[in-house]
Every structure is written in structure tokens, then in C-alpha cells.
Amino acid sequence: MHVPDGFIDAPTSAVAGVVAAGAVAVSLRGARRELGGTSRASEAERGGERTAPLAGLVAAFIFAVQMLNFPVAAGTSGHLLGGALAAILVGPYTGVLCVSVVLLMQGILFADGGLTALGVNITDMAIVTTVVAYALFRGLVKVLPRTRRSVTVASFVAALVSVPAAALAFTFLYWIGGTTDVAIGKVATAMIGVHVLIGIGEAAITALTVGAVIAVRPDLVHGARGLRQRLKLRVDGELVDAPDTSDSEPAVPASAAARSRRGLWITGLVTSLVLAGFVSFYASADPDGLEKVAADQGIDRKTEEHASADSPLADYGVEDITDARLSGGLAGVIGVGVTVVAGSAVFWAVRRRRTDDTSPADTDVSV
């Protein structure tokens, strides 16, 4: 659902840019709490000490999976948006930043999503999806049984709803500042209809990923923290209580926990590289939901050439490499690498700022 330059007029794009900038600023502040780093940290903040290294990986994983367009209808494909997945894994504020980093890398390096439309894309794909998904997820977790399966089910539903919500947000922006004269009713019907189908794919990917992380390290899933019932961890074929992050003493040795986190990080990175570098070659070549609707309804009549169209990585291929498989795979690997480095740098800086902002008065002193 990457909106190119020319779909939305300049004034509306500028307002969306201001909204996006404000949301990113708020998210930077909120992410400091989610990523932790203080001596008086709450349970969520202590969990943030484990989240910071994973946040960059989540951004890279979203970048990789977004390259895997899947068919949803005749001549139409869809791809992960990622807001729900990021919010549930690393928190809503950090999730907004994760998706924003992905969109920035895609726009600058790969000419995917207009640069003047960057604010529109962040508002639509990062803010709306994250807010809607996480609000619905938290509501469901409160009413469902406090189990690992409930977290996975809530993830599925939240991700499913977040995609048509983003389609509705685009429709609203087009109604305000669309550059072509197309009946808004037709746009809304087409956008929401196809993105409900795409939402099913988004929900499946999100639930599978969240479920996989919960199976090995439930304490690393932001959305699973604070559950009254201890989650179960499978060890040597048996279910045991997962570490309770609210305990004053760690349930497992720190060195073992660090090795486990490192193993998860390496596994996630290798998976992302394989998806972007190899599996992406087999992704659907059909236009995604927005592209299909834009072509069918005439929304794309005033599309402008991308400012990064001459990028050596434009259209997810490496310039001067004629072999399509090698070109696309190498571009995907480069994209994952750049995104994980950029994302990790942002989140380490945010967490470090949180730590540096802690004054001596904040130190916990027992009396």
C-alpha cells in the first residue's frame, strides 16, 4: 500500500507529513519507556532492556516480508504492512518507529513509496495500523483467557482489522486531497474490499510470527507481558513455566538468557536474509491492492516519477546486474542489512538517551 507521489495533492501531503512527524516525535519519547534502561524500571521497562536489540531486527524482518507479495484475487496481490506485528512484539511506540524506518529505507533506496508522500505512508502504514492493531489487541487480551494461545489469537484478529483500517485511512486522505476526480464511494468499496482479503494474509503472518517467538521466548513479546497467568515454554518436549520477568531475581542465569536472545536474533536475521534474498524471487508479480485499485479506478492518472528512480537499487534490483534472480536477491539482502543497521542504531540511541536522562535522584533507594 505504498502511496506514490501524485496520488495526493501537496497541501494534504504536507499536513500528513506534519502528523507523521508529530507521531514519530511522540513515539521516540514513548519508545524510551518501552526500551527501558533505568534503575527504577517497571516490568515493561525491564523487558525493554531485552527489546532494544530486537527492535532493529523486527524492522529488518518487516522489510523482508514486505517483499513477499502473495496473491489474494485474480490479478491482485498483497504484502505485509507490519504495524500489528511490530506493536505486539516490541510495543506500539517502538512499532511506529520500526515501520517508519522501513518506509524511509524503501523510499530512499528502492523508489518504493513517494518521497513527498512519505508522510502519507507513515500516517497510513505505520501510525494507523499500529494504533488500531494494538488497541484491539490489548482489548482482546483483557477478555480472553490469559494463555499463549490467546495472545496468538488476539494477534491474528488485530492484524486482520489493521489492514482495512489502513485502506480506510487512505480513502479518507484521497477524499480530502485526491488529484483525480473519482467517486469516493467507488474508491472506498474497492480499497476496503481487496484489503480485507490482504488482511487475512497479514493476520496469518503476524500470528505465526508472534506464536513462534512466544514458543521460545515469551518474555520478549511486549504484548505478552503483565499476564497474570504464567506463559508456558517448551523445553525438551515438555511445557514448563516461562521466566517471570516481575521476579526480583532472574529465573534463568543471565548468561543463558543472553545466549538465548542472541540465538533468536541470529535466527531472525538469517530468516530475513533468506526471505529477502531467495524466497522473494517467487513472490507474486501482480500489482498490490492499492496499485490495482488505482489502475482500475483511474487514481494513478497523475502519478509522478519517483525522485529516487535513478537509485542503483530502484525497483528492488541492483543496477547493471542482468540476472533477475541475482539482482533481486542481492537487493533484498542489501535492504535487510541496511534496515537492521539503521533500525538498531535508532533504537540503541533511544535507549541510551533514556539511560542518560536518568538523574541520580531517580536511583532506587530503600529505607
Side-chain angles (χ1 to χ4, degrees):
M1 197 189 292
H2 295 75
V3 180
D5 296 323
F7 277 24
I8 307 296
D9 64 23
T12 306
S13 295
V15 171
V18 172
V19 171
V24 168
V26 171
S27 296
L28 285 169
R29 191 175 186 85
R32 293 175 194 166
R33 296 192 297 272
E34 291 174 349
L35 298 175
T38 71
S39 58
R40 297 187 63 184
S42 66
E43 177 185 343
E45 290 171 332
R46 286 195 301 271
E49 296 178 11
R50 296 181 293 274
T51 300
L54 294 177
L57 176 62
V58 169
F61 182 76
I62 290 172
F63 174 91
V65 180
Q66 283 196 1
M67 293 183 67
L68 308 181
N69 281 47
F70 49 86
V72 294
T76 309
S77 70
H79 62 73
L80 182 81
L81 299 186
L85 177 62
I88 294 166
L89 287 180
V90 294
Y93 295 107
T94 308
V96 168
L97 298 179
C98 281
V99 181
S100 297
V101 168
V102 172
L103 292 171
L104 183 62
M105 296 298 102
Q106 290 170 333
I108 293 175
L109 298 178
F110 298 92
D112 190 9
L115 294 184
T116 62
L118 182 60
V120 172
N121 283 316
I122 290 177
T123 300
D124 193 28
M125 294 177 63
I127 302 169
V128 171
T129 58
T130 300
V131 171
V132 170
Y134 197 72
L136 180 55
F137 172 82
R138 294 308 306 175
L140 290 171
V141 166
K142 288 181 179 179
V143 300
L144 292 172
R146 302 300 182 95
T147 64
R148 184 181 72 184
R149 181 172 298 177
S150 295
V151 174
T152 304
V153 170
S155 300
F156 184 94
V157 176
L160 173 62
V161 174
S162 71
V163 178
L168 186 61
F170 169 79
T171 303
F172 177 73
L173 290 172
Y174 179 80
W175 177 59
I176 295 175
T179 56
T180 55
D181 186 16
V182 180
I184 194 64
K186 292 182 177 180
V187 176
T189 300
M191 282 293 293
I192 295 173
V194 71
H195 283 90
V196 167
L197 299 177
I198 294 173
I200 297 173
E202 176 103 11
I205 294 170
T206 300
L208 287 171
T209 305
V210 171
V213 178
I214 286 180
V216 293
R217 286 300 301 269
D219 56 312
L220 294 181
V221 178
H222 180 91
R225 294 180 193 152
L227 298 182
R228 293 175 184 172
Q229 178 176 326
R230 294 279 289 276
L231 295 172
K232 297 292 184 179
L233 180 63
R234 188 173 295 278
V235 178
D236 296 329
E238 296 183 3
L239 290 176
V240 299
D241 285 337
D244 186 351
T245 56
S246 65
D247 291 342
S248 58
E249 295 295 331
V252 294
S255 59
R259 286 195 300 271
S260 177
R261 291 195 299 273
R262 211 160 32 239
L264 180 63
W265 195 92
I266 293 172
T267 300
L269 180 60
V270 170
T271 300
S272 300
L273 291 170
V274 171
L275 291 175
F278 176 72
V279 180
S280 63
F281 181 77
Y282 302 96
S284 173
D286 291 331
D288 69 18
L290 176 59
E291 292 171 336
K292 179 65 173 176
V293 171
D296 290 347
Q297 302 297 329
I299 295 175
D300 60 355
R301 287 197 296 266
K302 295 187 178 180
T303 303
E304 300 173 3
E305 184 180 12
H306 200 286
S308 298
D310 57 351
S311 166
L313 297 174
D315 298 323
Y316 297 93
V318 178
E319 189 177 22
D320 297 330
I321 295 182
T322 56
D323 184 279
R325 186 190 298 269
L326 178 60
S327 178
L330 185 56
V333 169
I334 293 172
V336 168
V338 171
T339 303
V340 76
V341 170
S344 298
V346 169
F347 298 121
W348 275 116
V350 169
R351 182 170 178 261
R352 190 175 191 82
R353 175 71 178 274
R354 171 69 172 175
T355 304
D356 291 346
D357 284 349
T358 305
S359 66
D362 291 328
T363 302
D364 190 11
V365 179
S366 300
V367 294

